[in-house]
Amino acid sequence: RQHIEHPMKAIVLGTILFLCIVALITNSKYIRVQTNTIVSEQERGVTVSKGFRKKGGAEVQSSNAGDTEEEGDDNFDAGNEPELSSCFRARNDLALASHGLLPKPFINVGMPKMGSTSLHSFFCCGNYTSSHWECGKGKGLCADCMKRAVVKDTPPLRSCGNFDSWMQMDRDVFFPQIEMLNEIHNEAPNATYVLTFRDMNAWNNSLHHWIGGKNKSISFAERLTQANITGLPSGKGSNVDDLAEFFCNHGINIRNFVAEHPSHALVEIEMTDPMAGERLERIFGIKQSCWQQQNKNPVLHTEKSDKVRNTCYP
């Protein structure tokens, strides 16, 4: 009888141990963060790693190098580790470490609805000529003007106003900072690039609620899904995961481009940083009050307002 009981106990204990191991492996799937090194330190002089996760356990992994409105599992979590979420966080003051006085033009190579209006107003306040979305009388939208210029084999910046500051070149269906980065570099090889950062949930919320521009029947997010942008093909962009992947890959591409073309300075700005005004003053020599004034202006920061002066001349 004792010989029979011992094997039975061993079987029971073995079964319990097996179930515990299965449960541990299953649960680990909900907390694991996929990381992927995009560029090695030896290749670019800087290591950029990315990894992001979606709350609720579903993992998000890319296949390529305001107030938040939260809705359950659609919430996006970039993780707490800086090395894993570097494509979602600004690297402060890198430009000052490698460049002195930053040269014009200042070009926003970031995404729309990420502080471009505030930056445009900041440079206007600092007595620079600046464009935002529109490039002035006879030029139309900057994106369309720049596309026409490249087709005609003429320089896109000089052809569209030759501003000191270009704070939104894109429109919902065409992004010069993605599709024409080489042409912009060839014309202005020493331009200062500006890359802005914002919480992904807040950005997603903003894109879904902004219905300005010429087509007021659909949101910005819906327009993006109907476009076919490099890195965001048609049908993509309707949810925070698509947008986060698009933003992350674009930021990495910009950083890599600047690493390959070190004549450019890259200024990265976290739009919700309470010290942003002070940093901008230190970098560009424009009083931080210019930044604070615009942050207090309800007209410039309402999601549905088109009452923004899109070009300024001191």
Side-chain angles (χ1 to χ4, degrees):
R1 184 185 177 107
Q2 289 180 348
H3 291 293
I4 295 175
E5 288 179 350
H6 288 309
M8 289 298 295
K9 289 181 180 180
I11 292 172
V12 171
L13 291 174
T15 301
I16 293 173
L17 180 61
F18 174 76
L19 292 174
C20 289
I21 293 173
V22 170
L24 181 62
I25 293 173
T26 301
N27 289 333
S28 70
K29 292 181 180 180
Y30 290 89
I31 60 174
R32 183 164 54 92
V33 179
Q34 292 284 343
T35 62
N36 181 27
T37 300
I38 303 301
V39 186
S40 71
E41 186 171 5
Q42 292 77 16
E43 292 172 331
R44 300 285 187 229
V46 60
T47 299
V48 180
S49 299
K50 75 172 179 179
F52 43 96
R53 57 194 174 194
K54 182 180 175 183
K55 288 182 180 177
E59 295 174 349
V60 180
Q61 184 177 14
S62 168
S63 59
N64 302 313
D67 293 329
T68 305
E69 193 170 278
E70 299 185 350
E71 297 181 4
D73 283 350
D74 286 337
N75 295 338
F76 180 82
D77 179 14
N80 295 320
E81 302 84 0
E83 68 275 14
L84 298 181
S85 55
S86 61
C87 61
F88 300 109
R89 297 179 184 175
R91 303 178 300 180
N92 291 340
D93 299 328
L94 292 182
L96 290 179
S98 56
H99 293 262
L101 182 64
L102 299 183
K104 300 179 295 183
F106 310 122
I107 302 177
N108 180 10
V109 292
M111 292 286 119
K113 307 308 298 174
M114 280 202 179
S116 59
T117 300
S118 298
L119 286 168
H120 168 62
S121 301
F122 174 76
F123 284 107
C124 288
C125 180
N127 292 322
Y128 286 103
T129 62
S130 184
S131 69
H132 181 271
W133 193 56
E134 292 181 343
C135 278
K137 187 176 181 180
K139 305 294 184 183
L141 299 183
C142 295
D144 295 340
C145 180
M146 296 175 80
K147 183 188 290 187
R148 289 193 300 267
V150 170
V151 170
K152 295 177 181 178
D153 198 27
T154 57
L157 300 180
R158 287 196 294 275
S159 299
C160 298
N162 207 27
F163 295 93
D164 298 326
S165 158
W166 302 78
M167 286 301 108
Q168 186 176 350
M169 302 180 293
D170 55 76
R171 56 174 300 192
D172 42 22
V173 296
F174 185 70
F175 286 60
Q177 65 268 40
I178 295 176
E179 314 295 353
M180 296 169 45
L181 195 56
N182 283 318
E183 288 82 356
I184 293 170
H185 162 73
N186 290 339
E187 180 181 357
N190 297 309
T192 297
Y193 292 161
V194 179
L195 184 63
T196 56
F197 292 77
R198 186 182 183 187
D199 173 77
M200 290 292 101
N201 293 306
W203 187 43
N204 177 60
N205 177 64
S206 181
L207 291 174
H208 277 85
H209 287 79
W210 193 83
I211 55 173
K214 295 184 177 180
N215 184 353
K216 301 186 187 307
S217 62
I218 61 175
S219 71
F220 203 124
E222 291 175 286
R223 298 176 214 179
L224 287 177
T225 64
Q226 295 175 10
N228 186 18
I229 302 163
T230 299
L232 192 72
S234 179
K236 300 277 283 185
S238 62
N239 58 69
V240 69
D241 297 329
D242 288 351
L243 293 170
E245 181 177 351
F246 176 50
F247 174 80
C248 181
N249 289 334
H250 174 65
I252 290 171
N253 288 336
I254 291 295
R255 286 172 173 172
N256 290 347
F257 187 89
V258 171
E260 293 169 354
H261 303 86
S263 58
H264 295 289
L266 176 60
V267 178
E268 301 188 0
I269 304 170
E270 177 62 54
M271 298 308 297
T272 57
D273 182 0
M275 304 301 292
E278 181 180 320
R279 287 193 61 236
L280 288 169
E281 179 177 356
R282 190 166 66 250
I283 293 171
F284 293 105
I286 300 173
K287 292 181 180 179
Q288 62 179 292
S289 58
C290 287
W291 180 254
Q292 293 170 354
Q293 288 169 0
Q294 304 316 318
N295 277 343
K296 294 176 182 178
N297 190 329
V299 173
L300 293 176
H301 291 272
T302 178
E303 295 289 14
K304 298 183 180 181
S305 174
D306 291 323
K307 299 177 182 178
V308 177
R309 188 163 51 114
N310 288 319
T311 56
C312 63
Y313 303 89

